[in-house]
Amino acid sequence: MNLSEDISRAAAVMKSGGVILYPTDTVWGLGCDARNPGAVARIFEIKRRADSKALISLVSSEEMLRAHAGEIPEGIAGYLRDASRPTTVVYPGGTGVAGNLLGEDGSIGMRLTREAYSAALCEALGGPVVSTSANISGEPAPSCYCEISAEIREAADYTASYRRDDTAKAAPSRVVKAGTDGSVTVLRP
């Protein structure tokens, strides 16, 4: 299957409320349409994760980021330009996404992806894609497809073909919190 067909199939599954397994700019992830509360709830269920722990989403452009996280404080914009690895930012407020995706304080975690598959997936969906590691909560995040448990694989409605054979080790993103004053607090180095 070619990349374009793989992305089209994954996007169609998400548009119908499904959950996918896919490669990201970090580890393999479970994903869904970030605007669909039922699909987001299903990811919490698959991961056996408390819904009080917010999930993050990927976006493919600064425009998509601003549409769902608001204005990007200059301190964060500069920090992201200088970041040497994928960095997720927790912004003060989120909009236009499922309510169960937000933190208890209304914050939203988003990462601007530059990885080919996940960026094209956001574009095909026309919005942010939930991105949480493809594992049961508390277990190690899978750095490659071969490390994903059978339980997680069976729970997904679609699994991307792209990069399944890639065995390069990947690490989760750095996570920082954006203050309304432009400050940056590192939550996960």
Side-chain angles (χ1 to χ4, degrees):
M1 177 181 332
N2 69 38
L3 180 61
S4 178
E5 184 179 349
D6 195 12
I7 289 167
S8 292
R9 287 183 180 185
V13 167
M14 288 190 299
K15 286 177 182 178
S16 68
V19 171
I20 66 167
L21 267 173
Y22 70 109
T24 74
D25 53 344
T26 59
V27 299
W28 269 74
L30 276 169
C32 68
D33 183 341
R35 301 163 294 191
N36 184 321
V40 172
R42 192 153 157 245
I43 287 184
F44 280 114
E45 182 181 300
I46 290 168
K47 286 185 65 77
R48 294 188 225 147
R49 182 174 175 156
D51 60 7
S52 60
K53 290 186 74 177
L55 300 172
I56 71 156
S57 296
L58 298 180
V59 293
S60 57
S61 66
E62 286 189 21
E63 293 76 27
M64 193 179 289
L65 178 61
R66 280 193 292 279
H68 297 285
E71 272 309 304
I72 304 166
E74 185 51 44
I76 287 292
Y79 186 88
L80 291 175
R81 277 191 293 274
D82 296 337
S84 60
R85 67 180 238 237
T87 302
T88 299
V89 178
V90 178
Y91 294 94
T95 185
V97 296
N100 54 346
L101 185 62
L102 303 175
E104 291 178 345
D105 60 357
S107 62
I108 189 166
M110 298 200 115
R111 184 168 70 246
L112 178 58
T113 181
R114 291 177 175 82
E115 187 272 331
Y117 191 92
S118 54
L121 196 56
C122 292
E123 289 299 311
L125 181 64
V129 175
V130 167
S131 180
T132 183
S133 56
N135 61 303
I136 302 297
S137 283
E139 293 181 0
S143 63
C144 56
Y145 177 76
C146 63
E147 294 178 356
I148 300 170
S149 72
E151 181 179 354
I152 294 290
R153 289 181 193 185
E154 291 166 9
D157 300 307
Y158 182 81
T159 300
S161 294
Y162 185 70
R163 287 183 33 205
R164 277 198 203 181
D165 295 333
D166 186 356
T167 57
K169 296 293 181 184
S173 69
R174 170 182 293 128
V175 180
V176 300
K177 185 168 186 165
T180 54
D181 60 356
S183 63
V184 177
T185 305
V186 177
L187 301 177
R188 182 174 68 199

